[in-house]
Amino acid sequence: MRALLNVIWLVLSGIWLALAYAVAGIVCCILIITIPFGIASFRIAAYALWPFGRTVTERRSAGIPSLLGNIVWFLVAGWWIALTHAVTGILLCLTIVGIPLGIGNFKLVPVALLPLGRRIVST
């Protein structure tokens, strides 16, 4: 079932989300000081391609630099990216067929909101 949901997700929205996050990652890596945000964007892009069967966990050893980076990320981009995922998830949940895809968008909210200090693991 996960594979089927991932294929539907990939065709309908995953490829576009992954491309958007990858472009953001490239832009962030061009600017030297924002390389950690670029790496986080690439991590989110990989998660956006195939979200079902994986989950986001916190890295306890992330430390203060991760916290400070998350504050900057939240203020600059995180809140509106997370809001976009939440609104898209709500709209997808209005249809029976879109409910699993809406849940996939809801899974992207925490990692889009605070991406540093998190890792994506298989369930």
Side-chain angles (χ1 to χ4, degrees):
M1 189 63 161
R2 281 188 244 175
L4 178 63
L5 286 172
N6 277 322
V7 168
I8 293 170
W9 170 268
L10 183 67
V11 170
L12 294 179
S13 63
I15 192 76
W16 303 112
L17 284 171
L19 283 173
Y21 280 118
V23 168
I26 291 169
V27 170
C28 287
C29 285
I30 289 173
L31 307 169
I32 302 299
I33 198 154
T34 57
I35 287 176
F37 301 122
I39 294 169
S41 291
F42 291 133
R43 189 172 47 244
I44 298 170
Y47 185 53
L49 275 177
W50 212 253
F52 297 100
R54 299 193 299 174
T55 189
V56 178
T57 61
E58 289 186 35
R59 270 189 321 135
R60 298 281 181 199
S61 62
I64 297 297
S66 176
L67 173 69
L68 296 175
N70 275 332
I71 291 170
V72 171
W73 175 273
F74 179 82
L75 294 173
V76 174
W79 68 271
W80 62 269
I81 295 172
L83 181 67
T84 304
H85 283 300
V87 169
T88 306
I90 289 169
L91 292 175
L92 284 169
C93 285
L94 293 176
T95 65
I96 301 292
V97 176
I99 290 174
L101 302 177
I103 292 170
N105 263 303
F106 293 139
K107 285 174 59 175
L108 282 164
V109 169
V111 73
L113 195 59
L114 303 168
L116 302 174
R118 296 186 183 253
R119 63 182 166 183
I120 300 164
V121 295
S122 297
T123 55

